[in-house]
Amino acid sequence: MLAQQADRVMALGEWEERWQEDRIGFHQPHVHKMLESHIDKVLAGRTGVRFFFPLCGKAVDMKWLADMGHSVVGVEISEKAIKQFFEDNNMTYSEEPVPALPGAKVFKGSERNISLYQSDLYNFSSTIEGHFGVIWDRGSLVAINPRDREKYAALIISLMAKDCRYLLDTMLYNPELHKGPPFLVPDDQVNSLFGKSCDVELLESFDSLTDRQRGWGLDYLDERVHLITPKSI
């Protein structure tokens, strides 16, 4: 199933173009229902948790969590997406260079504890912002080039605190009908990417086919939500 998309590559510039041209059908104007449904399991009784959003876009989930008192760090290649996040939420922000990431900038919210890095995700590391108690991956693993998945998984694992809870949203569909992104990520690959150092639990699976995906030619789309936690040493 993976062979059809194995060589598919999208350059960072193509993602920036999508934002510039407002071709962002992947953006959701509301908090993701799977995050809402499983927030108690993700928090596990913790307060003031540090959340990481890889390829964050302008996800409204970030403000929702910050309003609860959590802190949010995101990484996104599109400066437009980051600025739109703050503007859409009527939040003021500062903009600073990041000495440890040449060419990158960090945008920090003034009213909420939100820091969004405009950077190539693979240049980011725990030396920049430490480790995180939760990672929410909606539209990130499914968006990166399939050949980069092992590199991506290594980065995510390196950002996990010992008590981290990594909520991962994946998709199953017929890859002969859609070249991606979003890309197909089967459960067995989730396990092969993360299972050696983490426990992987499938929390939920549901039909998320809409007219948008039917327009791609798909006849089914299963969305799957996994909870991934570091194994106890």
Side-chain angles (χ1 to χ4, degrees):
M1 290 174 72
L2 294 174
Q4 292 93 333
Q5 296 179 340
D7 297 323
R8 172 83 164 118
V9 172
M10 273 190 67
L12 290 178
E14 292 181 72
W15 287 108
E16 291 184 279
E17 283 177 16
R18 288 191 177 198
W19 280 100
Q20 290 300 329
E21 298 168 6
D22 289 321
R23 292 186 292 123
I24 53 170
F26 48 82
H27 172 70
Q28 293 191 357
H30 47 77
V31 176
H32 195 286
K33 63 182 181 180
M34 289 300 99
L35 179 61
E36 281 189 302
S37 296
H38 298 291
I39 189 63
D40 288 342
K41 191 156 192 171
V42 165
L43 292 176
R46 298 171 296 170
T47 58
V49 177
R50 302 186 73 234
F51 277 76
F52 180 63
F53 279 66
L55 308 186
C56 61
K58 58 175 183 177
V60 298
D61 304 9
M62 297 189 288
K63 183 175 186 297
W64 183 68
L65 292 164
D67 285 346
M68 292 184 196
H70 306 296
S71 59
V72 173
V73 173
V75 177
E76 168 59 48
I77 194 60
S78 169
E79 183 172 319
K80 180 179 179 180
I82 293 173
K83 289 182 174 179
Q84 280 188 350
F85 168 77
F86 289 110
E87 291 161 5
D88 290 353
N89 289 291
N90 297 310
M91 298 171 68
T92 55
Y93 61 90
S94 62
E95 179 180 335
E96 306 166 14
V98 185
L101 289 173
K105 298 182 220 178
V106 60
F107 297 77
K108 296 183 178 181
S110 305
E111 298 89 356
R112 294 288 184 273
N113 196 347
I114 300 175
S115 298
L116 305 184
Y117 287 79
Q118 191 258 315
S119 171
D120 180 336
L121 178 65
Y122 298 116
N123 292 336
F124 193 78
S125 71
S126 60
T127 61
I128 308 297
E129 280 278 357
H131 299 91
F132 297 92
V134 176
I135 299 172
W136 171 217
D137 188 330
R138 182 262 156 185
S140 186
L141 178 59
V142 298
I144 65 161
N145 296 325
R147 68 183 186 188
D148 292 334
R149 284 178 185 167
E150 289 190 4
K151 177 170 69 170
Y152 177 89
L155 172 62
I156 293 296
I157 291 168
S158 76
L159 295 173
M160 289 180 171
K162 289 181 180 178
D163 63 348
C164 182
R165 301 176 82 77
Y166 171 35
L167 195 64
L168 170 65
D169 190 41
T170 60
M171 296 179 182
L172 295 181
Y173 61 81
N174 183 351
E176 293 182 352
L177 301 177
H178 180 59
K179 65 181 181 178
F183 296 108
L184 165 79
V185 184
D187 291 359
D188 58 355
Q189 188 166 48
V190 174
N191 283 300
S192 68
L193 289 171
F194 298 102
K196 186 175 181 181
S197 59
C198 299
D199 293 317
V200 180
E201 177 187 359
L202 177 65
L203 295 183
E204 192 166 349
S205 176
F206 59 97
D207 176 10
S208 61
L209 188 69
T210 68
D211 288 342
R212 178 169 176 253
Q213 288 89 29
R214 289 188 186 96
W216 301 344
L218 294 185
D219 51 5
Y220 76 91
L221 178 67
D222 290 335
E223 200 164 339
R224 299 171 75 77
V225 180
H226 312 262
L227 182 65
I228 300 173
T229 54
K231 289 181 178 177
S232 300
I233 299 174

